[in-house]
Amino acid sequence: QVQLVDSGGGVVRIGGSLRLSCAASGRTFPTRAMGWFRQAPGKEREFVAAINWNGSVTLYSDSVKGRFTISRDNDNKNAVYLQMTMLKPEDTAIYYCATGTTLRAPTNEAWDYDYWGQGTQVTVSS
């Protein structure tokens, strides 16, 4: 069983930065790929970024490429991070981290992920 706890959301000005964290429990965390998704009001959940089991391969949506960076710490904290820079109003959403039971490679398909965090709200305002 894996439990994911998202944190780090908040209110930020346009052009600002935030760093989201996802703390994972379970011994198999270092073997699993991880992803971040987001859902804005009235919209479907969409893929943001993903990282493979050892951090050597990353995948980003076109909308965040060059602005967001996904990383992970397998050694000390069993955590995955999403560094967000140059934030825009359209980045406003609830952000969720996720992982899959046998997932080792990053994927942008939500159905590949079995476990989800509770979400953390990011609001970008002027």
Side-chain angles (χ1 to χ4, degrees):
Q1 189 73 9
V2 175
Q3 288 189 322
L4 305 175
V5 179
D6 306 320
S7 63
V11 180
V12 63
R13 292 284 181 93
I14 294 172
S17 300
L18 274 178
R19 187 194 194 207
L20 305 184
S21 299
C22 174
S25 65
R27 292 179 299 168
T28 59
F29 170 81
T31 67
R32 299 170 186 255
M34 301 291 295
W36 285 97
F37 289 74
R38 66 187 182 187
Q39 188 166 18
K43 295 187 177 181
E44 293 186 353
R45 189 170 297 190
E46 67 171 349
F47 170 75
V48 176
I51 189 167
N52 76 327
W53 67 279
N54 68 357
S56 63
V57 180
T58 56
L59 184 66
Y60 296 94
S61 69
D62 288 342
S63 62
V64 307
K65 197 173 296 182
R67 299 188 298 122
F68 291 9
T69 303
I70 188 171
S71 61
R72 66 188 297 159
D73 181 349
N74 286 354
D75 296 327
N76 298 315
K77 297 185 177 180
N78 269 16
V80 63
Y81 306 100
L82 186 67
Q83 179 68 49
M84 305 186 295
T85 65
M86 296 180 285
L87 283 161
K88 305 175 181 180
E90 52 264 43
D91 295 319
T92 295
I94 300 174
Y95 284 71
Y96 302 87
C97 71
T99 190
T101 303
T102 58
L103 196 62
R104 292 176 68 84
T107 169
N108 60 2
E109 299 290 355
W111 60 66
D112 287 325
Y113 297 82
D114 304 310
Y115 300 97
W116 295 81
Q118 84 285 0
T120 185
Q121 175 72 49
V122 172
T123 302
V124 184
S125 69
S126 56

